[in-house]
Amino acid sequence: MTVQQSSWPGVIGMVALCLCACVPDAELTDERGDNTAATPFPPPPGGAAQIAGKPAPDDGMPPHIQQLVVEPGACVHVAVLPNKAAKAHLRFTSGSQTQMVEAELRSDGWLEAFTPLETFTPQTEGGVAALLEDAQGRTAVSGPQTFISPPARAPLIITEVMANPAGSEYTQEYVELLNAGEAPLSLMGFTIEDASAADVLPSVVLAPHAYALLVADAFDETGGGDVAPSAGTLIIRVAGRLGRDGLTNGGEAVSLRDATGAVVSQFPGLVDMSATAWNGRSAHRVPPTDPCDRPLLWTERPQPPSPGW
């Protein structure tokens, strides 16, 4: 078994072009890009097609773990490369804390998982081991690989971005936030920023499991030519326009930072909303409650808006 711990810089920029393709209308969960673009793992030996869930003759042997890769960050990222089709369960342990996470199959044969390990003590060292199981129930277990649990952060998530409204771009752009936690959350000290400027959020409280819209101060809550926010949605107005002069239709990153400057949630800005056909449509995070930022979570093209829903 080859065990590798690695850092993979620059991957987000590599996938910008592949996430802009247009495809027929579908449900939101079908609009996300191919997950092979999410990380630059080397191709599996022997050809990905034989590993990525396609039928293969039983070789009578248990599965074998060829590589185990761990990437620290706001969410721990673990990837396992088996020698044949198999499921992978990851066992994270730190002191008396234990959590099992099931890895998802990528189309190139890697099995990977992103997890915030919210129940673990922040920024402590632990070990993660992979359990492989093939279709015949034969198993293989890796030795533990070191990980560092993520730092504590607020359960506040960017869930939708409207950069090209049907109405006025001076007033009707918005960034939707979700409090995914179980307690009310004060937004004091948080900032929202695009590529050129940042806006400090006011001292307001967002209820648990509730949405808020960050908007320009002249935002029209009746819709202004666009879909109106859901009743009861918290509307948070910033001076002037969002960012320096509004959000760029062609796609730009939008980041939410806490009072320390740490990024809490981010829209990667890989969805081009500039075409006339996309007027009044927005980029969505699917599912909205997943806190682990990566391009795969965002719809591949703009979708009908759902402000506050």
Side-chain angles (χ1 to χ4, degrees), residues 40-54:
F41 298 132
Q50 295 182 14
I51 299 176
K54 295 193 174 183

Side-chain angles (χ1 to χ4, degrees), residues 58-84:
D58 179 21
D59 59 6
M61 301 294 291
H64 174 68
I65 299 170
Q66 299 185 103
Q67 292 189 64
L68 173 62
V69 183
V70 180
E71 171 76 356
C75 288
V76 177
H77 179 195
V78 179
V80 181
L81 180 62
N83 67 326
K84 62 178 182 177

Side-chain angles (χ1 to χ4, degrees), residues 94-112:
S94 179
S96 62
Q97 300 169 307
T98 299
Q99 183 172 326
M100 295 294 296
V101 176
E102 185 172 354
E104 295 183 358
L105 176 66
R106 290 161 47 101
S107 60
D108 64 357
W110 286 86
L111 295 153
E112 69 176 354

Side-chain angles (χ1 to χ4, degrees), residues 22 41 66 95 98 103-104 112 130 260 273 297 301 306 308:
C22 290
F41 298 132
Q66 299 185 103
T98 299
E104 295 183 358
E112 69 176 354
T260 71
M273 308 183 207
L297 293 178
R301 63 171 188 165
S306 58

Side-chain angles (χ1 to χ4, degrees), residues 7-195:
S7 178
W8 312 304
V11 60
I12 299 299
M14 296 170 60
V15 299
L17 294 178
C18 69
L19 291 179
C20 295
C22 290
V23 295
D25 283 335
E27 297 296 327
L28 288 181
T29 50
D30 295 326
E31 287 288 333
R32 296 173 292 173
D34 181 355
N35 62 358
T36 58
T39 48
F41 298 132
Q50 295 182 14
I51 299 176
K54 295 193 174 183
D58 179 21
D59 59 6
M61 301 294 291
H64 174 68
I65 299 170
Q66 299 185 103
Q67 292 189 64
L68 173 62
V69 183
V70 180
E71 171 76 356
C75 288
V76 177
H77 179 195
V78 179
V80 181
L81 180 62
N83 67 326
K84 62 178 182 177
K87 294 181 180 180
H89 300 273
L90 305 173
R91 185 175 188 267
F92 293 86
T93 304
S94 179
S96 62
Q97 300 169 307
T98 299
Q99 183 172 326
M100 295 294 296
V101 176
E102 185 172 354
E104 295 183 358
L105 176 66
R106 290 161 47 101
S107 60
D108 64 357
W110 286 86
L111 295 153
E112 69 176 354
F114 294 80
T115 177
L117 294 176
E118 293 170 324
T119 62
F120 280 46
T121 303
Q123 295 185 291
T124 57
E125 184 175 296
V128 55
L131 169 65
L132 286 186
E133 182 178 0
D134 66 14
Q136 290 72 37
R138 295 183 290 257
T139 61
V141 181
S142 75
Q145 176 77 352
T146 299
F147 73 90
I148 302 296
S149 59
R153 61 177 179 177
L156 196 59
I157 303 172
I158 296 176
T159 51
E160 185 178 346
V161 175
M162 170 65 81
N164 186 11
S168 170
E169 293 203 32
Y170 290 95
T171 62
Q172 299 310 113
E173 295 178 342
Y174 64 78
V175 175
E176 182 186 75
L177 303 180
L178 169 65
N179 177 1
E182 301 297 327
L185 178 63
S186 171
L187 302 188
M188 177 183 289
F190 285 88
T191 58
I192 192 76
E193 65 179 26
D194 62 7

